[in-house]
Amino acid sequence: IISAVLLIVALELMIAAASLFFLFTFNNNLSQIVDVDSEKRKLAGMVRTGLLEMHRAQKNALLFTSQELVQREISRKNRYIAEIRTAMTDIDRFIDANERAIVREMHVLLVQFIGIDKQIEDLVIRNFSDGTSDPTRQASAVSLSTGSGRTAYNQLATLIDSIVDSSEAAMADHRQ
């Protein structure tokens, strides 16, 4: 009888230990998934905010009539470009194969957007270089900003939103 009781106690201890091990493993896996998705979402939000601020600085540079104010906006914009690039590099650690294709496309569009922005910047700076304002240069800069610049911005925003949406969907799946 004593050996039967000891056997039952030993089996219960093994079942309890196995249950705790599986619960601990499940908790760690779930925490990692949630942490990855929340970090991905945070980084995507940083990219989205950086793009918005970069675009805003571009618009401000077009509106300002002082070279000093324009230079301040260009410096501000360059800080946002650096932050966007850092966040996009960091986000690469947390994405799956489908999202990796989106991020590659984002990199291409970001280079395009920065190139357009550089053209706008050059036109605005040249407007101040000779001390006179050339309406043609200003109109060209505005046209770039509202045309191809806006298109590239919208495409980037759509792509980053798709990463945020997939992250939100993954987090919702984990809650169920």
Side-chain angles (χ1 to χ4, degrees):
I1 270 193
I2 293 177
S3 61
V5 170
L6 289 175
L7 180 65
I8 291 173
V9 169
L11 287 173
E12 286 181 6
L13 287 173
M14 287 182 0
I15 291 171
S19 296
L20 285 174
F21 172 76
F22 287 118
L23 282 174
F24 179 74
T25 303
F26 177 76
N27 185 46
N28 282 345
N29 289 341
L30 188 58
S31 293
Q32 180 182 357
I33 290 168
V34 170
D35 289 345
V36 165
D37 288 334
S38 63
E39 186 65 19
K40 181 172 41 173
R41 188 170 180 207
K42 182 185 97 177
L43 290 167
M46 289 171 63
V47 170
R48 181 79 155 115
T49 300
L51 287 171
L52 179 65
E53 291 297 329
M54 181 186 164
H55 200 53
R56 181 177 293 145
Q58 178 189 96
K59 299 292 186 193
N60 288 344
L62 287 168
L63 295 172
F64 289 147
T65 56
S66 153
Q67 188 169 5
E68 180 184 323
L69 292 174
V70 168
Q71 288 297 337
R72 185 185 72 198
E73 287 303 308
I74 289 171
S75 294
R76 188 171 153 253
K77 176 188 48 96
N78 289 334
R79 281 193 309 273
Y80 284 113
I81 290 171
E83 289 176 14
I84 291 166
R85 285 185 167 149
T86 299
M88 284 179 64
T89 299
D90 291 346
I91 204 171
D92 204 40
R93 297 185 326 229
F94 300 102
I95 56 177
D96 60 26
N98 295 335
E99 293 167 331
R100 190 154 280 115
I102 292 170
V103 171
R104 273 195 301 271
E105 189 176 348
M106 283 177 59
H107 281 290
V108 169
L109 284 170
L110 181 62
V111 167
Q112 213 175 47
F113 185 55
I114 291 170
I116 293 165
D117 185 72
K118 183 67 175 148
Q119 291 174 16
I120 294 166
E121 181 181 309
D122 291 343
L123 287 166
V124 171
I125 289 173
R126 279 197 341 231
N127 230 8
F128 291 106
S129 64
D130 59 5
T132 62
S133 181
D134 180 357
T136 305
R137 273 188 241 155
Q138 186 68 17
S140 295
V142 169
S143 178
L144 274 172
S145 179
T146 58
S148 53
R150 184 52 144 170
T151 300
Y153 171 82
N154 287 341
Q155 290 172 332
L156 278 164
T158 299
L159 290 174
I160 200 65
D161 287 347
S162 70
I163 289 177
V164 170
D165 292 345
S166 76
S167 180
E168 286 177 358
M171 290 176 77
D173 288 346
H174 299 311
R175 280 187 227 125
Q176 295 176 350

